[in-house]
Amino acid sequence: MALALSDPVKLPCGLELPNRFVKAAMAEMMADPKDGLPNEDFIEAYGKWAEGSWGAILTGNVQVDLEYVGSTKDPSTGPYMKKNIEIWRLFADTCQKKGTPAIVQICHPGRQSVRGAGRRGLFTQTMAPSAVPMNMGNGLLAKFVRWLVFGAPREMTVEDIKRVIDLFVDTARLMADSGFAGVQLHGAHGYLLTQFLTSKTNFRTDEYGGTPEKRAKIVVEIIKAIRSVVPATFCIGIKLNSADHNSGDFDATVRQIELLIKAGIDFLEVSGGSAEDPKMMGRDHLPKKVEAKKSERTLAREAFFIDFATQIRKHFPDLVLMVTGGIRSRRGAEAVVHSKAGDLVGIGRPAVINPKFPQLLLDKSVPDEEAQLVLAKVPLPGWIKFLDLKALGAGVETGFYVTQIQRLAKGLATFGP
């Protein structure tokens, strides 16, 4: 089997990634809550990844609305402000100092904006396509947690929607002017664009809801508007949640992806889960040591969302697909590429523990049995198991790796659970 992971990948916009490994987006929680700008900690951490021989580096999500952010320490932008370009340019230069393209993940949390995050008041409602509250569970405790952390959203007006579109475009233009290679729209994990795309949270009957096409309208308008203000070689990707391809949801998702391709996306990353049901954290998936006798199909299942990606490939053979989640070994990554489920392999948690993980996997002198990084689940305190709230378990998992990123930023050794 040829080492396909070392092959370059050229995106439709013309941007060429030197290999197939992408450092996936992960929450850093290091920005100053006062201005949301990247600081020295970001420079130090991403400087380590810049040395890692990645095909591309995806930043953690950058919130486009200073009023509504996902957590208190998320980086954020707001309306286009030329005075901030130098700060973002330093960030871009650091990520790309060895020639690796850096892509900024941009996001609006919608109803998943926690109380106290952003510049909105503590009791100012979040906003969403429809006034559908978070579902943290049916018990009284779950309902109290939902009220305490998120409150209840209000339905967005058309004016709200137009403002959010402008904020996504402003952020993309700022990143292009700062020297980044592209942006990725965060349309997964229960954030605002996901809330529009799915009928589970979008009950609108106007131009932004009611059919798969109308639910995708906000995303299509964002992509087209970004394309009109950035260079032709600037990359625009999107991260989407997987869907059950045995249900009607899959047909709707296929139709929406078709519209996104026509609007001008360069790649699609397959993910899944939300704050309500955090599949992306893989709490039910514990990687085992990869054995040489395992089949390619079994190896590919290191990836959490491989089945969905495989089905999408059948509909869109030329779409550049990125599969992220659970990939821990050279054999697993190779299997994803050779099965044609993914063109790009997203690596998250192993990238934190070993910022130079691609160098290990691409080194032909390292045996397959050693070209891997197996990570256990983060142990959960007993009280969390007793409460039986999925979001709390995911929060512990996220918190552990956030701490490791912060250690990376301080020049300290990182370690797995």
Side-chain angles (χ1 to χ4, degrees):
M1 181 182 291
L3 201 58
L5 297 172
S6 61
D7 293 344
V9 177
K10 191 169 186 177
L11 303 181
C13 66
L15 177 67
E16 185 168 283
L17 313 186
N19 64 59
R20 296 178 185 270
F21 285 114
V22 178
K23 177 262 164 194
M26 291 170 286
E28 310 99 348
M29 299 183 73
M30 298 189 300
D32 187 334
K34 295 179 182 178
D35 57 25
L37 294 173
N39 50 32
E40 187 64 27
D41 286 341
F42 282 84
I43 303 306
E44 291 299 320
Y46 279 85
K48 303 288 195 309
W49 282 311
E51 304 278 351
S53 302
W54 296 90
I57 293 173
L58 267 170
T59 73
N61 57 20
V62 173
Q63 306 292 347
V64 303
D65 191 341
L66 294 169
E67 303 296 318
Y68 301 88
V69 301
S71 72
T72 56
K73 293 187 177 181
D74 280 347
S76 52
T77 56
Y80 186 96
M81 289 184 282
K82 194 171 183 177
K83 66 177 182 178
N84 292 336
I85 285 181
E86 290 307 315
I87 297 172
W88 289 101
R89 182 171 290 151
L90 176 61
F91 188 12
D93 289 347
T94 300
C95 294
Q96 299 174 143
K97 64 181 181 180
K98 295 293 185 178
T100 299
I103 299 167
V104 181
Q105 186 181 84
I106 59 178
C107 178
H108 193 297
R111 66 176 186 160
Q112 285 188 181
S113 177
V114 302
R115 288 190 193 272
R119 297 180 182 177
R120 64 187 176 93
L122 190 61
F123 294 101
T124 300
Q125 286 181 284
T126 55
M127 60 181 185
S130 301
V132 181
M134 299 283 290
N135 180 10
M136 310 304 292
N138 296 321
L140 290 176
L141 177 61
K143 292 178 180 179
F144 175 73
V145 169
R146 181 198 71 197
W147 174 85
L148 181 67
V149 177
F150 301 107
R154 65 175 177 82
E155 181 174 301
M156 294 172 68
T157 65
V158 173
E159 289 73 20
D160 290 327
I161 294 172
K162 298 299 184 184
R163 176 177 175 273
V164 165
I165 292 171
D166 289 343
L167 288 171
F168 270 99
V169 175
D170 277 357
T171 301
R173 184 162 65 96
L174 179 65
M175 297 310 155
D177 291 349
S178 300
F180 283 100
V183 293
Q184 181 194 47
L185 306 181
H186 200 331
H189 301 177
Y191 292 121
L192 184 67
L193 298 185
T194 314
Q195 295 161 32
F196 270 95
L197 288 167
T198 176
S199 60
K200 295 177 182 178
T201 50
N202 185 348
F203 301 154
R204 302 178 73 95
T205 57
D206 64 0
E207 59 185 309
Y208 291 99
T211 67
E213 293 82 2
K214 289 182 178 180
R215 292 196 301 272
K217 182 177 172 62
I218 183 175
V219 188
V220 170
E221 290 183 347
I222 288 170
I223 295 167
K224 289 182 176 179
I226 290 175
R227 277 277 170 238
S228 70
V229 298
V230 299
T233 54
F234 190 75
C235 163
I236 303 176
I238 189 165
K239 185 171 189 170
L240 287 186
N241 267 22
S242 59
D244 180 1
H245 57 263
N246 293 317
S247 72
D249 285 345
F250 182 74
D251 292 335
T253 300
V254 167
R255 174 58 180 149
Q256 291 176 336
I257 292 174
E258 182 181 10
L259 294 172
L260 302 182
I261 293 171
K262 289 180 179 179
I265 61 168
D266 290 293
F267 73 94
L268 185 152
E269 179 184 1
V270 175
S271 188
S274 66
E276 295 174 319
D277 186 13
K279 294 182 180 70
M280 65 283 192
M281 297 311 304
R283 292 300 307 176
D284 298 324
H285 179 92
L286 177 60
K288 302 255 189 324
K289 196 159 188 175
V290 177
E291 299 173 2
K293 65 181 180 181
K294 289 188 177 180
S295 69
E296 183 174 287
R297 178 70 175 169
T298 303
L299 289 168
R301 284 189 176 277
E302 276 189 57
F304 299 156
F305 310 108
I306 192 72
D307 287 338
F308 179 78
T310 300
Q311 292 300 315
I312 291 298
R313 172 66 73 209
K314 293 177 182 178
H315 289 269
F316 306 105
D318 297 325
L319 174 62
V320 178
L321 283 173
M322 174 177 165
V323 177
T324 303
I327 300 169
R328 303 285 183 265
S329 72
R330 176 195 292 157
R331 286 185 178 274
E334 280 280 341
V336 169
V337 174
H338 279 277
S339 70
K340 301 189 184 303
D343 304 286
L344 301 172
V345 178
I347 304 290
R349 282 168 273 184
V352 180
I353 308 307
N354 180 4
K356 297 182 179 181
F357 192 50
Q359 294 178 4
L360 172 68
L361 301 191
L362 293 172
D363 187 347
K364 296 181 182 179
S365 70
V366 177
D368 285 345
E369 294 73 19
E370 297 176 19
Q372 61 181 321
L373 178 56
V374 179
L375 298 172
K377 293 179 182 178
V378 175
L380 298 181
W383 62 271
I384 285 184
K385 296 177 183 178
F386 175 76
L387 293 177
D388 193 28
L389 289 174
K390 292 181 180 179
L392 292 178
V396 171
E397 191 94 19
T398 297
F400 178 87
Y401 287 97
V402 163
T403 299
Q404 299 309 308
I405 292 175
Q406 293 171 356
R407 289 179 63 86
L408 200 64
K410 300 298 183 185
L412 302 173
T414 54
F415 53 87

